[in-house]
């Protein structure tokens, strides 16, 4: 598979040379592949937001490179601008950045900036609204008349309307109730499938990413200690615990069973996998 986004030896230091200097990323080599659904996981302050803000050129590396489709995004201003349109970033708590008088105008803001014609903008606003589950009659409302969860949908729609090749979402489910979480994750999955886009989902919840993503990148203390499929990542149980990242509950139960002497593969992470593994054991009369 071809890497659509890459960082090479990416280092970022906030307020370098001042008493507030803070090293946030150290020589990070990161890749995202075209069409994959990637998770970035790490606890608060590990460097997740700093990393993703480099991927669309919002932050400039202190040293190292960011490549989009194989080219350095900072090599010329046209390329930086193109990257900002093609790598869409939904900030954490994006609902606080709505500012237009109507939901429609808020969603249309990005496509308008891209210089698209009215008809194309209109098509994109309706399609993006549909993806995030907003009804047509909500488009003419003020964003401030909507609930918190609906406002967040408007903000996500605003980025989707730019039809980015890569859609990055920084903790999009933070602060939502379980129904809201499922619904937003479902919208993202639908968008991924319909557009064959690359999705990068940032999260601090293992349970959430375990059942959502194809591949996981772990961020800890400004570095990427390991990455891989969820199954591969959860094999590092003790290291994850040490980073303050719990492994999913099912994985923990299976590790416990193994420690108790049950001959079982502990690399399960969903209830479905656990059920299949336990039924197989029962079938063989081993439990
Ligand atoms: N604007 C900033 N100025 C100074 N330090 C910052 C700034 N933003 C983040 N940091 C620091 O950089 C580190 C990484 O932060 P961040 O990328 O926001 O982590 P995460 O998204 O994983 O919570 C933290 O120590 C944080 O305090
Ligand atoms: Mg963050």
């Amino acid at each position: 598979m071809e890497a659509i986004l890459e960082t090479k030896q990416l280092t970022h230091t906030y307020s370098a040379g001042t008493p507030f200097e803070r090293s946030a990323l150290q020589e990070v080599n990161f890749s995202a592949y075209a069409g994959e659904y990637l998770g970035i996981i790490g606890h608060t302050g590990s460097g997740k937001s700093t990393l993703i803000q480099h991927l669309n050129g919002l932050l400039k590396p202190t040293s190292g490179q960011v490549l989009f489709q194989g080219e350095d995004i900072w090599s010329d201003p046209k390329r930086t601008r193109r990257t900002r349109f093609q790598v869409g970033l939904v900030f954490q708590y994006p609902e606080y950045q709505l500012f237009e008088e109507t939901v429609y105008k808020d969603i249309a803001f990005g496509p308008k900036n891209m210089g698209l014609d009215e008809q194309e903008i209109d098509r994109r606003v309706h399609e993006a609204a549909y993806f995030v589950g907003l009804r047509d009659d909500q488009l003419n409302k003020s964003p401030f008349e909507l609930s918190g969860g609906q406002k967040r949908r408007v903000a996500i729609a605003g980025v989707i309307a730019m039809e980015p090749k890569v859609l990055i979402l920084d903790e999009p489910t933070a602060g939502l109730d379980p129904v809201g979480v499922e619904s937003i994750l479902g919208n993202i999955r639908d968008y991924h499938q319909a557009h064959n886009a690359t999705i990068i989902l940032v999260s601090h919840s293992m349970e959430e990413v375990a059942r959502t993503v194809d591949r996981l990148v772990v961020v800890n203390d400004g570095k990427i200690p390991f990455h891989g499929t969820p199954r591969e990542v959860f094999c590092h149980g003790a290291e994850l615990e040490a980073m303050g990242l719990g492994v999913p509950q099912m994985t923990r139960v299976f590790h416990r069973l193994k420690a108790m002497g049950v001959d079982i593969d502990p690399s399960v992470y969903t209830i479905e996998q656990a059920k299949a593994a336990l039924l197989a054991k029962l079938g063989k009369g081993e439990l």
Side-chain angles (χ1 to χ4, degrees):
M1 258 203 297
E2 161 211 5
I4 188 163
L5 270 173
E6 266 181 292
T7 71
K8 293 202 185 293
Q9 304 289 104
L10 174 64
T11 295
H12 193 85
T13 308
Y14 286 105
S15 313
T18 77
F20 306 103
E21 183 166 306
R22 174 88 201 149
S23 165
L25 294 174
Q26 297 115 41
E27 304 189 337
V28 167
N29 294 314
F30 164 94
S31 308
Y33 299 99
E36 78 172 332
Y37 196 145
L38 179 70
I40 296 184
I41 184 126
H43 85 73
T44 304
S46 55
K48 304 181 298 297
S49 295
T50 305
L51 172 62
I52 58 167
Q53 287 174 55
H54 280 86
L55 300 180
N56 81 336
L58 210 65
L59 283 177
K60 199 168 182 175
T62 304
S63 65
Q65 283 182 307
V66 179
L67 310 182
F68 176 53
Q69 296 176 321
E71 310 209 28
D72 188 329
I73 67 169
W74 292 99
S75 61
D76 80 85
K78 267 199 206 115
R79 185 152 288 143
T80 317
R81 187 175 150 80
R82 199 174 64 103
T83 306
R84 291 206 177 117
F85 289 134
Q86 298 199 347
V87 181
L89 175 58
V90 179
F91 289 98
Q92 193 168 358
Y93 298 110
E95 54 273 28
Y96 294 110
Q97 301 187 0
L98 301 175
F99 60 93
E100 295 277 7
E101 313 142 41
T102 67
V103 168
Y104 186 100
K105 284 187 183 169
D106 245 310
I107 301 176
F109 182 80
K112 213 170 209 164
N113 256 345
M114 295 171 78
L116 300 172
D117 66 51
E118 286 299 323
Q119 203 183 347
E120 178 63 11
I121 293 172
D122 191 61
R123 184 190 71 75
R124 287 185 177 211
V125 170
H126 283 96
E127 191 183 292
Y130 167 79
F131 262 113
V132 299
L134 288 168
R135 297 186 317 265
D136 271 357
D137 66 290
Q138 292 174 315
L139 292 176
N140 292 320
K141 288 196 171 173
S142 156
F144 305 103
E145 289 173 56
L146 303 179
S147 72
Q150 285 170 331
K151 278 188 218 162
R152 187 166 305 174
R153 290 166 190 283
V154 174
I156 295 175
V159 176
I160 284 181
M162 293 169 48
E163 298 189 354
K165 283 201 163 66
V166 182
L167 176 63
I168 308 176
L169 303 110
D170 198 352
E171 311 214 21
T173 62
L176 299 179
D177 61 37
V179 175
V181 169
E182 284 320 305
S183 146
I184 295 263
L185 290 177
N187 295 150
I188 299 168
R189 203 171 312 128
D190 291 347
Y191 182 77
H192 179 229
Q193 281 165 4
H195 281 256
N196 202 18
T198 308
I199 307 287
I200 303 181
L201 176 74
V202 177
S203 177
H204 62 261
S205 156
M206 276 297 191
E207 307 284 345
E208 180 172 301
V209 287
R211 56 198 174 81
T212 316
V213 307
D214 304 325
R215 199 165 68 84
L216 258 178
V217 166
V218 177
V219 180
N220 185 53
D221 203 11
K223 299 192 187 74
I224 297 179
F226 40 84
H227 58 90
T229 61
R231 196 177 278 268
E232 287 162 354
V233 165
F234 299 144
C235 289
H236 299 266
E239 287 150 278
L240 290 169
E241 299 276 352
M243 292 170 197
L245 291 174
V247 298
Q249 250 170 4
M250 273 306 146
T251 312
R252 216 169 318 146
V253 169
F254 271 58
H255 275 280
R256 191 80 48 87
L257 284 173
K258 194 170 168 72
M260 286 164 62
V262 180
D263 177 22
I264 205 160
D265 173 7
S267 67
V268 305
Y269 50 91
T270 65
I271 292 174
E272 287 71 35
Q273 289 168 352
K275 187 173 154 195
L278 291 175
L279 284 175
K281 281 267 148 198
L282 277 173
K284 287 194 240 157
E286 291 174 359
L287 275 184

